[in-house]
Amino acid sequence: MLWSYSKIDNGKVEAIVELEKRLNVTLLAFSGQDIRNAELSSEELKQIEEAEGKLGLSLVAVKM
């Protein structure tokens, strides 16, 4: 299972904003996605790790 930001409608956004104001916090909404991690060779993994270092990002390889 991979988690990503939720796609939510305006009604849910309004409910979250109201709760944020009451609690004086920022809330992030995440949803589970039924996506499998990709099976990578050590060379492929090395290439991704190098790209992460150059880009300053974390990357996740998946099979859809």
Side-chain angles (χ1 to χ4, degrees):
M1 175 93 41
L2 179 71
W3 293 86
S4 63
Y5 290 114
S6 300
K7 294 181 181 181
I8 52 179
D9 61 37
N10 287 339
K12 290 179 182 178
V13 170
E14 290 172 8
I16 293 168
V17 169
E18 181 180 314
L19 182 57
E20 287 177 324
K21 288 177 182 176
R22 281 198 317 255
L23 300 176
N24 194 33
V25 298
T26 298
L27 298 169
L28 302 175
F30 289 90
S31 297
Q33 308 296 320
D34 191 18
I35 298 173
R36 295 175 293 128
N37 289 345
E39 304 229 0
L40 302 171
S41 68
S42 57
E43 179 57 34
E44 292 168 325
L45 182 57
K46 181 180 176 185
Q47 291 177 46
I48 291 173
E49 289 172 342
E50 288 173 358
E52 288 176 325
K54 288 178 185 175
L55 300 171
L57 301 171
S58 293
L59 301 172
V60 177
V62 299
K63 289 286 186 183
M64 299 185 70

